[in-house]
Amino acid sequence: MKKRRDVLVMGFALFAMFLGAGNIIFPPFLGAMSGSKWWLSGLGFLITGSGLPVLGVIAVAKAGGKATDISKRVSPNFALVINCIILTFIGPLFAIPRTAATTVELSIRPFMSDQIDPQTLMIVSSLIFFGICLFFILSSRSVMDRIGNYLTPVLMFFLLILIVLSIFKPLGQPGQPFDEAAESGFFHLGFSTGYQTMDALGSIVFGGTVALSILRKGYDKQETRSMLKGVGIIAGLGIMVVYLGFIWIGASGSSTLQQYSQRSVVTTEAVKLLAGGFGQVLLALIIFLACLTTAIGLLFTAGEYFSDLAKGKLSFKQVVVILTGISYLISILGVEGIINLSTPLLEIIYPLVIILIALNLIGDKIKYDECFRWGVIMAVPMGIVTAMRTISITKPTAEEILTHVPLGPQGFAFFVPAVCGCIAGWLYGYYKEQRTVKQRTARNMS
């Protein structure tokens, strides 16, 4: 009974850590832009926004339970580097600052006078937001329990109110898709939009954090790995419900909402149309709780990792304060500024994470580490080219290259090279093994 309760609490905590700024602002925007094709873009979004995070947690469990375990078969140095990159992306560079910026833009600004300078409001409000985060983290190390026991149930209740309301009182019928949304196909639109949630990146390090929290409760390593899978499934099902509900909210009001280009504005207007002033207050509470739980979880996770990496030179509290300071400075860029900064870099890192998750899920059937190494290496160039497509100055060149790559125009240019790399790596590993056997046999015969 205690084990089931711990899995449920940890699952709620992981759900809350996943459910941050991107999870609230991207689904309504995606639904609004996709209109009647919302189900197709929604499917792509669910794969990267919900499915991959669950698989990421399961992959971490199968690989050993630590964040670095998922990359260790490429090389120990690669595991260290990729984890630092991921934690920087989902930490002080993009995800944590975005939680503060989203809170200000959706929970505070709508209730403030137009005469208040937006930049001043961002500077002051973000400072208060990160002050609250520090209070939760530095006052206790039982962060996972606090999130899972108290904050998440309230957050889920508020979210379900809006979703149920949108089902029984929809904004309308999904309209025509926005023209630019169909440029690379609706499925890929949803698939690549799911990158922006950064949950698949987070699943790798969150999986390690949850595993550590479970171990601290007295469970052994085998029990921890088993419980980690259940925790991932509970969190994944939770965010899947939220995504579908909020994509539908955007799609049902697409005829009106397509006039807005900013994601945070689409979310605000959708909820205002759905539930008026009550909806605005409810959205403000949802955003605040979602962003707060995610920021706390990310700061805690990054603090644990980087303080361990410092090997005693910096304490956990010192690292958390430093990361909070960096996050605060970047949060001043605002939501759209942070999204524009992150998009090209996510196009490079996500293919690597997808490949690592996929390979670790069947890792016990892969005999040679070269499969991991070559698969990752082959995916990098096409990830860079795809990233170039998101930058206006390099977009024409990138699109020309991608037309000659299988699945390139659809946004999956990394897939075929990665598979070829895995096959080549397996063949090379087999060749090395056979050569070693022959050399050993020759030595024994002599």
Side-chain angles (χ1 to χ4, degrees):
M1 192 68 181
K2 179 180 181 298
K3 184 184 289 188
R4 289 183 181 178
R5 183 184 181 281
D6 286 338
V7 169
L8 188 63
V9 169
M10 289 292 172
F12 281 174
L14 185 60
F15 163 79
M17 290 165 70
F18 280 146
L19 194 73
N23 309 72
I24 302 297
I25 63 174
F26 287 110
F29 184 80
L30 180 64
M33 295 301 106
S34 302
S36 59
K37 299 291 185 180
W38 70 274
W39 58 272
L40 188 56
S41 58
L43 178 61
F45 189 81
L46 287 180
I47 289 173
T48 47
S50 178
L52 269 179
V54 174
L55 294 177
V57 173
I58 294 173
V60 169
K62 293 192 71 171
K66 295 181 181 178
T68 51
D69 288 339
I70 201 168
S71 310
K72 65 185 178 184
R73 292 187 66 179
V74 178
S75 81
N77 288 335
F78 175 81
L80 179 65
V81 171
I82 198 72
N83 261 43
C84 287
I85 291 173
I86 288 173
L87 275 166
T88 301
F89 278 22
I90 67 170
L93 193 57
F94 300 135
I96 297 176
R98 197 173 66 189
T99 59
T102 305
T103 300
V104 176
E105 293 187 14
L106 272 72
S107 295
I108 300 174
R109 187 181 295 171
F111 302 97
M112 294 293 172
S113 167
D114 293 338
Q115 311 217 335
I116 296 176
D117 177 52
Q119 195 64 36
T120 303
L121 183 65
M122 181 69 73
I123 291 170
V124 175
S125 300
S126 290
L127 189 62
I128 296 171
F129 177 87
F130 283 118
I132 296 172
C133 290
L134 281 176
F135 169 76
F136 268 92
I137 297 170
L138 301 183
S139 62
S140 172
R141 294 295 286 272
S142 58
V143 174
M144 296 293 294
D145 286 339
R146 285 189 172 196
I147 293 174
N149 278 318
Y150 307 115
L151 295 178
T152 309
V154 177
L155 173 61
M156 290 179 71
F157 177 70
F158 288 159
L159 286 165
L160 286 173
I161 289 176
L162 286 180
I163 292 171
V164 170
L165 192 60
S166 73
I167 295 172
F168 291 99
K169 186 190 168 186
L171 297 177
Q173 291 297 318
Q176 286 297 315
F178 193 67
D179 290 340
E180 293 182 13
E183 186 176 341
S184 60
F186 290 102
F187 179 81
H188 178 257
L189 173 68
F191 193 91
S192 58
T193 301
Y195 291 176
Q196 286 287 349
T197 67
M198 304 187 207
D199 285 343
L201 306 184
S203 68
I204 294 175
V205 288
F206 284 165
T209 300
V210 174
L212 183 61
S213 296
I214 295 172
L215 285 168
R216 284 174 177 168
K217 291 179 179 291
Y219 297 99
D220 60 35
K221 289 186 177 180
Q222 187 60 39
E223 288 176 311
T224 298
R225 291 180 188 178
S226 175
M227 291 170 69
L228 200 55
K229 295 176 184 178
V231 168
I233 291 170
I234 290 171
L237 289 174
I239 57 176
M240 184 182 296
V241 170
V242 173
Y243 286 158
L244 284 173
F246 274 72
I247 289 172
W248 166 248
I249 289 173
S252 64
S254 55
S255 299
T256 302
L257 298 173
Q258 284 182 4
Q259 62 181 300
Y260 304 109
S261 60
Q262 291 190 333
R263 293 158 182 84
S264 57
V265 175
V266 168
T267 302
T268 303
E269 292 299 320
V271 173
K272 188 189 297 184
L273 290 170
L274 184 66
F278 168 75
Q280 281 189 291
V281 174
L282 197 58
L283 178 65
L285 291 171
I286 289 171
I287 292 294
F288 174 70
L289 286 173
C291 291
L292 183 66
T293 51
T294 298
I296 291 170
L298 289 171
L299 284 168
F300 179 79
T301 301
E304 288 270 8
Y305 184 80
F306 287 120
S307 61
D308 288 344
L309 201 62
K311 296 179 179 178
K313 294 179 182 177
L314 289 171
S315 68
F316 171 78
K317 290 186 177 181
Q318 288 173 322
V319 171
V320 168
V321 170
I322 292 169
L323 294 176
T324 302
I326 296 170
S327 302
Y328 168 65
L329 292 174
I330 296 177
S331 71
I332 297 171
L333 292 174
V335 173
E336 292 297 322
I338 296 169
I339 291 172
N340 293 336
L341 185 66
S342 66
T343 299
L345 295 174
L346 290 174
E347 289 283 0
I348 298 172
I349 195 71
Y350 246 92
L352 303 185
V353 172
I354 291 171
I355 291 160
L356 287 171
I357 289 173
L359 291 175
N360 275 279
L361 290 172
I362 56 171
D364 53 346
K365 295 179 175 62
I366 300 176
K367 188 175 182 180
Y368 308 111
D369 291 350
E370 283 80 3
C371 285
F372 285 75
R373 294 185 193 125
W374 289 35
V376 167
I377 289 170
M378 292 296 288
V380 172
M382 288 301 101
I384 294 172
V385 174
T386 305
M388 289 168 57
R389 192 168 68 168
T390 66
I391 304 170
S392 57
I393 193 171
T394 55
K395 183 176 180 179
T397 303
E399 289 186 338
E400 174 62 27
I401 295 172
L402 292 173
T403 57
H404 302 291
V405 180
L407 301 178
Q410 290 76 35
F412 302 101
F414 71 91
F415 181 75
V416 172
V419 171
C420 291
C422 290
I423 294 171
W426 190 92
L427 291 172
Y428 181 65
Y430 178 78
Y431 164 74
K432 280 196 345 180
E433 181 184 56
Q434 294 303 308
R435 186 179 62 181
T436 302
V437 170
K438 287 179 181 178
Q439 289 173 346
R440 188 179 298 126
T441 303
R443 281 197 302 267
N444 291 336
M445 291 179 65
S446 62

PDB file of all heavy atoms in Angstrom, residues 194-220:
ATOM      1  N   GLY A 194       6.046  20.220 -30.017  1.00  0.00           N
ATOM      2  CA  GLY A 194       6.276  19.464 -28.791  1.00  0.00           C
ATOM      3  C   GLY A 194       7.691  19.593 -28.270  1.00  0.00           C
ATOM      4  O   GLY A 194       7.942  19.429 -27.067  1.00  0.00           O
ATOM      5  N   TYR A 195       8.647  19.906 -29.173  1.00  0.00           N
ATOM      6  CA  TYR A 195      10.032  20.146 -28.730  1.00  0.00           C
ATOM      7  C   TYR A 195      10.075  21.276 -27.699  1.00  0.00           C
ATOM      8  O   TYR A 195      10.861  21.247 -26.748  1.00  0.00           O
ATOM      9  CB  TYR A 195      10.922  20.560 -29.905  1.00  0.00           C
ATOM     10  CG  TYR A 195      11.216  19.500 -30.940  1.00  0.00           C
ATOM     11  CD1 TYR A 195      11.946  19.826 -32.086  1.00  0.00           C
ATOM     12  CD2 TYR A 195      10.787  18.186 -30.797  1.00  0.00           C
ATOM     13  CE1 TYR A 195      12.242  18.873 -33.055  1.00  0.00           C
ATOM     14  CE2 TYR A 195      11.074  17.236 -31.768  1.00  0.00           C
ATOM     15  CZ  TYR A 195      11.805  17.585 -32.895  1.00  0.00           C
ATOM     16  OH  TYR A 195      12.097  16.644 -33.851  1.00  0.00           O
ATOM     17  N   GLN A 196       9.235  22.294 -27.941  1.00  0.00           N
ATOM     18  CA  GLN A 196       9.298  23.496 -27.116  1.00  0.00           C
ATOM     19  C   GLN A 196       8.880  23.242 -25.663  1.00  0.00           C
ATOM     20  O   GLN A 196       9.253  24.004 -24.779  1.00  0.00           O
ATOM     21  CB  GLN A 196       8.417  24.599 -27.713  1.00  0.00           C
ATOM     22  CG  GLN A 196       8.994  25.254 -28.958  1.00  0.00           C
ATOM     23  CD  GLN A 196      10.160  26.168 -28.657  1.00  0.00           C
ATOM     24  OE1 GLN A 196      10.435  26.481 -27.516  1.00  0.00           O
ATOM     25  NE2 GLN A 196      10.852  26.602 -29.694  1.00  0.00           N
ATOM     26  N   THR A 197       8.135  22.176 -25.420  1.00  0.00           N
ATOM     27  CA  THR A 197       7.806  21.856 -24.029  1.00  0.00           C
ATOM     28  C   THR A 197       9.048  21.435 -23.264  1.00  0.00           C
ATOM     29  O   THR A 197       9.105  21.549 -22.045  1.00  0.00           O
ATOM     30  CB  THR A 197       6.772  20.717 -23.939  1.00  0.00           C
ATOM     31  OG1 THR A 197       7.357  19.498 -24.408  1.00  0.00           O
ATOM     32  CG2 THR A 197       5.523  21.050 -24.741  1.00  0.00           C
ATOM     33  N   MET A 198      10.038  20.886 -23.994  1.00  0.00           N
ATOM     34  CA  MET A 198      11.311  20.408 -23.431  1.00  0.00           C
ATOM     35  C   MET A 198      11.115  19.275 -22.429  1.00  0.00           C
ATOM     36  O   MET A 198      12.021  18.948 -21.660  1.00  0.00           O
ATOM     37  CB  MET A 198      12.104  21.552 -22.776  1.00  0.00           C
ATOM     38  CG  MET A 198      12.384  22.708 -23.701  1.00  0.00           C
ATOM     39  SD  MET A 198      13.489  23.937 -22.979  1.00  0.00           S
ATOM     40  CE  MET A 198      12.980  25.414 -23.843  1.00  0.00           C
ATOM     41  N   ASP A 199       9.951  18.638 -22.465  1.00  0.00           N
ATOM     42  CA  ASP A 199       9.673  17.574 -21.501  1.00  0.00           C
ATOM     43  C   ASP A 199      10.482  16.311 -21.765  1.00  0.00           C
ATOM     44  O   ASP A 199      10.827  15.592 -20.819  1.00  0.00           O
ATOM     45  CB  ASP A 199       8.177  17.241 -21.503  1.00  0.00           C
ATOM     46  CG  ASP A 199       7.357  18.305 -20.795  1.00  0.00           C
ATOM     47  OD1 ASP A 199       7.953  19.107 -20.050  1.00  0.00           O
ATOM     48  OD2 ASP A 199       6.130  18.350 -20.981  1.00  0.00           O
ATOM     49  N   ALA A 200      10.750  16.000 -23.039  1.00  0.00           N
ATOM     50  CA  ALA A 200      11.573  14.826 -23.322  1.00  0.00           C
ATOM     51  C   ALA A 200      12.994  15.031 -22.788  1.00  0.00           C
ATOM     52  O   ALA A 200      13.617  14.094 -22.285  1.00  0.00           O
ATOM     53  CB  ALA A 200      11.613  14.548 -24.825  1.00  0.00           C
ATOM     54  N   LEU A 201      13.493  16.266 -22.902  1.00  0.00           N
ATOM     55  CA  LEU A 201      14.803  16.574 -22.308  1.00  0.00           C
ATOM     56  C   LEU A 201      14.718  16.442 -20.798  1.00  0.00           C
ATOM     57  O   LEU A 201      15.593  15.865 -20.148  1.00  0.00           O
ATOM     58  CB  LEU A 201      15.237  17.999 -22.678  1.00  0.00           C
ATOM     59  CG  LEU A 201      15.280  18.389 -24.155  1.00  0.00           C
ATOM     60  CD1 LEU A 201      15.840  19.803 -24.297  1.00  0.00           C
ATOM     61  CD2 LEU A 201      16.135  17.421 -24.943  1.00  0.00           C
ATOM     62  N   GLY A 202      13.645  16.994 -20.251  1.00  0.00           N
ATOM     63  CA  GLY A 202      13.472  16.963 -18.808  1.00  0.00           C
ATOM     64  C   GLY A 202      13.309  15.566 -18.263  1.00  0.00           C
ATOM     65  O   GLY A 202      13.729  15.272 -17.140  1.00  0.00           O
ATOM     66  N   SER A 203      12.696  14.668 -19.059  1.00  0.00           N
ATOM     67  CA  SER A 203      12.432  13.318 -18.564  1.00  0.00           C
ATOM     68  C   SER A 203      13.712  12.586 -18.195  1.00  0.00           C
ATOM     69  O   SER A 203      13.718  11.762 -17.267  1.00  0.00           O
ATOM     70  CB  SER A 203      11.656  12.516 -19.613  1.00  0.00           C
ATOM     71  OG  SER A 203      12.455  12.245 -20.755  1.00  0.00           O
ATOM     72  N   ILE A 204      14.790  12.881 -18.898  1.00  0.00           N
ATOM     73  CA  ILE A 204      16.053  12.197 -18.626  1.00  0.00           C
ATOM     74  C   ILE A 204      16.596  12.576 -17.255  1.00  0.00           C
ATOM     75  O   ILE A 204      16.980  11.718 -16.463  1.00  0.00           O
ATOM     76  CB  ILE A 204      17.081  12.519 -19.732  1.00  0.00           C
ATOM     77  CG1 ILE A 204      16.608  11.920 -21.057  1.00  0.00           C
ATOM     78  CG2 ILE A 204      18.456  11.994 -19.368  1.00  0.00           C
ATOM     79  CD1 ILE A 204      17.470  12.274 -22.240  1.00  0.00           C
ATOM     80  N   VAL A 205      16.606  13.872 -16.969  1.00  0.00           N
ATOM     81  CA  VAL A 205      17.142  14.306 -15.679  1.00  0.00           C
ATOM     82  C   VAL A 205      16.096  14.198 -14.570  1.00  0.00           C
ATOM     83  O   VAL A 205      16.424  13.905 -13.421  1.00  0.00           O
ATOM     84  CB  VAL A 205      17.691  15.742 -15.766  1.00  0.00           C
ATOM     85  CG1 VAL A 205      18.972  15.764 -16.568  1.00  0.00           C
ATOM     86  CG2 VAL A 205      16.688  16.693 -16.384  1.00  0.00           C
ATOM     87  N   PHE A 206      14.809  14.425 -14.910  1.00  0.00           N
ATOM     88  CA  PHE A 206      13.754  14.251 -13.914  1.00  0.00           C
ATOM     89  C   PHE A 206      13.689  12.800 -13.448  1.00  0.00           C
ATOM     90  O   PHE A 206      13.441  12.522 -12.279  1.00  0.00           O
ATOM     91  CB  PHE A 206      12.391  14.647 -14.483  1.00  0.00           C
ATOM     92  CG  PHE A 206      12.174  16.131 -14.583  1.00  0.00           C
ATOM     93  CD1 PHE A 206      11.145  16.651 -15.352  1.00  0.00           C
ATOM     94  CD2 PHE A 206      12.990  17.016 -13.898  1.00  0.00           C
ATOM     95  CE1 PHE A 206      10.931  18.007 -15.444  1.00  0.00           C
ATOM     96  CE2 PHE A 206      12.788  18.383 -13.981  1.00  0.00           C
ATOM     97  CZ  PHE A 206      11.760  18.879 -14.757  1.00  0.00           C
ATOM     98  N   GLY A 207      13.897  11.876 -14.407  1.00  0.00           N
ATOM     99  CA  GLY A 207      13.886  10.462 -14.053  1.00  0.00           C
ATOM    100  C   GLY A 207      14.923  10.160 -12.990  1.00  0.00           C
ATOM    101  O   GLY A 207      14.666   9.418 -12.033  1.00  0.00           O
ATOM    102  N   GLY A 208      16.106  10.754 -13.152  1.00  0.00           N
ATOM    103  CA  GLY A 208      17.163  10.570 -12.155  1.00  0.00           C
ATOM    104  C   GLY A 208      16.805  11.183 -10.813  1.00  0.00           C
ATOM    105  O   GLY A 208      17.080  10.617  -9.757  1.00  0.00           O
ATOM    106  N   THR A 209      16.168  12.348 -10.840  1.00  0.00           N
ATOM    107  CA  THR A 209      15.759  13.030  -9.595  1.00  0.00           C
ATOM    108  C   THR A 209      14.696  12.227  -8.850  1.00  0.00           C
ATOM    109  O   THR A 209      14.768  12.058  -7.628  1.00  0.00           O
ATOM    110  CB  THR A 209      15.208  14.432  -9.916  1.00  0.00           C
ATOM    111  OG1 THR A 209      16.226  15.193 -10.556  1.00  0.00           O
ATOM    112  CG2 THR A 209      14.783  15.149  -8.649  1.00  0.00           C
ATOM    113  N   VAL A 210      13.705  11.717  -9.599  1.00  0.00           N
ATOM    114  CA  VAL A 210      12.654  10.914  -8.973  1.00  0.00           C
ATOM    115  C   VAL A 210      13.246   9.632  -8.397  1.00  0.00           C
ATOM    116  O   VAL A 210      12.893   9.214  -7.287  1.00  0.00           O
ATOM    117  CB  VAL A 210      11.537  10.588  -9.992  1.00  0.00           C
ATOM    118  CG1 VAL A 210      10.523   9.633  -9.380  1.00  0.00           C
ATOM    119  CG2 VAL A 210      10.842  11.860 -10.442  1.00  0.00           C
ATOM    120  N   ALA A 211      14.162   9.010  -9.150  1.00  0.00           N
ATOM    121  CA  ALA A 211      14.811   7.788  -8.660  1.00  0.00           C
ATOM    122  C   ALA A 211      15.538   8.047  -7.348  1.00  0.00           C
ATOM    123  O   ALA A 211      15.471   7.243  -6.410  1.00  0.00           O
ATOM    124  CB  ALA A 211      15.786   7.257  -9.716  1.00  0.00           C
ATOM    125  N   LEU A 212      16.228   9.181  -7.261  1.00  0.00           N
ATOM    126  CA  LEU A 212      16.942   9.535  -6.028  1.00  0.00           C
ATOM    127  C   LEU A 212      15.966   9.738  -4.873  1.00  0.00           C
ATOM    128  O   LEU A 212      16.226   9.294  -3.744  1.00  0.00           O
ATOM    129  CB  LEU A 212      17.760  10.813  -6.260  1.00  0.00           C
ATOM    130  CG  LEU A 212      18.627  11.302  -5.087  1.00  0.00           C
ATOM    131  CD1 LEU A 212      19.670  10.256  -4.729  1.00  0.00           C
ATOM    132  CD2 LEU A 212      19.304  12.626  -5.466  1.00  0.00           C
ATOM    133  N   SER A 213      14.843  10.384  -5.150  1.00  0.00           N
ATOM    134  CA  SER A 213      13.831  10.605  -4.115  1.00  0.00           C
ATOM    135  C   SER A 213      13.246   9.279  -3.621  1.00  0.00           C
ATOM    136  O   SER A 213      12.972   9.112  -2.429  1.00  0.00           O
ATOM    137  CB  SER A 213      12.704  11.496  -4.653  1.00  0.00           C
ATOM    138  OG  SER A 213      13.180  12.786  -4.970  1.00  0.00           O
ATOM    139  N   ILE A 214      13.045   8.336  -4.543  1.00  0.00           N
ATOM    140  CA  ILE A 214      12.523   7.020  -4.167  1.00  0.00           C
ATOM    141  C   ILE A 214      13.538   6.263  -3.313  1.00  0.00           C
ATOM    142  O   ILE A 214      13.194   5.649  -2.294  1.00  0.00           O
ATOM    143  CB  ILE A 214      12.146   6.201  -5.425  1.00  0.00           C
ATOM    144  CG1 ILE A 214      10.981   6.868  -6.164  1.00  0.00           C
ATOM    145  CG2 ILE A 214      11.774   4.767  -5.052  1.00  0.00           C
ATOM    146  CD1 ILE A 214      10.664   6.241  -7.511  1.00  0.00           C
ATOM    147  N   LEU A 215      14.806   6.316  -3.726  1.00  0.00           N
ATOM    148  CA  LEU A 215      15.863   5.642  -2.962  1.00  0.00           C
ATOM    149  C   LEU A 215      15.946   6.183  -1.534  1.00  0.00           C
ATOM    150  O   LEU A 215      16.185   5.431  -0.581  1.00  0.00           O
ATOM    151  CB  LEU A 215      17.210   5.818  -3.664  1.00  0.00           C
ATOM    152  CG  LEU A 215      17.445   4.964  -4.916  1.00  0.00           C
ATOM    153  CD1 LEU A 215      18.680   5.445  -5.666  1.00  0.00           C
ATOM    154  CD2 LEU A 215      17.596   3.489  -4.539  1.00  0.00           C
ATOM    155  N   ARG A 216      15.749   7.501  -1.392  1.00  0.00           N
ATOM    156  CA  ARG A 216      15.821   8.117  -0.068  1.00  0.00           C
ATOM    157  C   ARG A 216      14.684   7.654   0.847  1.00  0.00           C
ATOM    158  O   ARG A 216      14.754   7.820   2.057  1.00  0.00           O
ATOM    159  CB  ARG A 216      15.778   9.640  -0.204  1.00  0.00           C
ATOM    160  CG  ARG A 216      17.098  10.241  -0.693  1.00  0.00           C
ATOM    161  CD  ARG A 216      16.962  11.726  -0.938  1.00  0.00           C
ATOM    162  NE  ARG A 216      18.244  12.310  -1.330  1.00  0.00           N
ATOM    163  CZ  ARG A 216      18.371  13.533  -1.832  1.00  0.00           C
ATOM    164  NH1 ARG A 216      17.298  14.298  -2.013  1.00  0.00           N
ATOM    165  NH2 ARG A 216      19.565  14.006  -2.161  1.00  0.00           N
ATOM    166  N   LYS A 217      13.634   7.071   0.242  1.00  0.00           N
ATOM    167  CA  LYS A 217      12.521   6.557   1.048  1.00  0.00           C
ATOM    168  C   LYS A 217      12.785   5.144   1.554  1.00  0.00           C
ATOM    169  O   LYS A 217      11.947   4.549   2.239  1.00  0.00           O
ATOM    170  CB  LYS A 217      11.232   6.584   0.231  1.00  0.00           C
ATOM    171  CG  LYS A 217      10.710   7.995  -0.067  1.00  0.00           C
ATOM    172  CD  LYS A 217       9.442   7.939  -0.905  1.00  0.00           C
ATOM    173  CE  LYS A 217       8.919   9.337  -1.167  1.00  0.00           C
ATOM    174  NZ  LYS A 217       8.399   9.982   0.052  1.00  0.00           N
ATOM    175  N   GLY A 218      13.936   4.588   1.172  1.00  0.00           N
ATOM    176  CA  GLY A 218      14.310   3.274   1.696  1.00  0.00           C
ATOM    177  C   GLY A 218      14.124   2.116   0.746  1.00  0.00           C
ATOM    178  O   GLY A 218      14.359   0.960   1.128  1.00  0.00           O
ATOM    179  N   TYR A 219      13.725   2.368  -0.499  1.00  0.00           N
ATOM    180  CA  TYR A 219      13.563   1.285  -1.465  1.00  0.00           C
ATOM    181  C   TYR A 219      14.905   0.915  -2.074  1.00  0.00           C
ATOM    182  O   TYR A 219      15.804   1.772  -2.182  1.00  0.00           O
ATOM    183  CB  TYR A 219      12.588   1.698  -2.573  1.00  0.00           C
ATOM    184  CG  TYR A 219      11.181   1.971  -2.086  1.00  0.00           C
ATOM    185  CD1 TYR A 219      10.736   3.272  -1.857  1.00  0.00           C
ATOM    186  CD2 TYR A 219      10.295   0.926  -1.847  1.00  0.00           C
ATOM    187  CE1 TYR A 219       9.441   3.529  -1.412  1.00  0.00           C
ATOM    188  CE2 TYR A 219       9.004   1.170  -1.402  1.00  0.00           C
ATOM    189  CZ  TYR A 219       8.587   2.471  -1.183  1.00  0.00           C
ATOM    190  OH  TYR A 219       7.313   2.718  -0.736  1.00  0.00           O
ATOM    191  N   ASP A 220      15.051  -0.360  -2.488  1.00  0.00           N
ATOM    192  CA  ASP A 220      16.310  -0.758  -3.119  1.00  0.00           C
ATOM    193  C   ASP A 220      16.295  -0.389  -4.603  1.00  0.00           C
ATOM    194  O   ASP A 220      15.287   0.104  -5.125  1.00  0.00           O
ATOM    195  CB  ASP A 220      16.583  -2.257  -2.930  1.00  0.00           C
ATOM    196  CG  ASP A 220      15.482  -3.142  -3.534  1.00  0.00           C
ATOM    197  OD1 ASP A 220      14.916  -2.761  -4.581  1.00  0.00           O
ATOM    198  OD2 ASP A 220      15.200  -4.211  -2.962  1.00  0.00           O
TER     199      ASP A 220
END
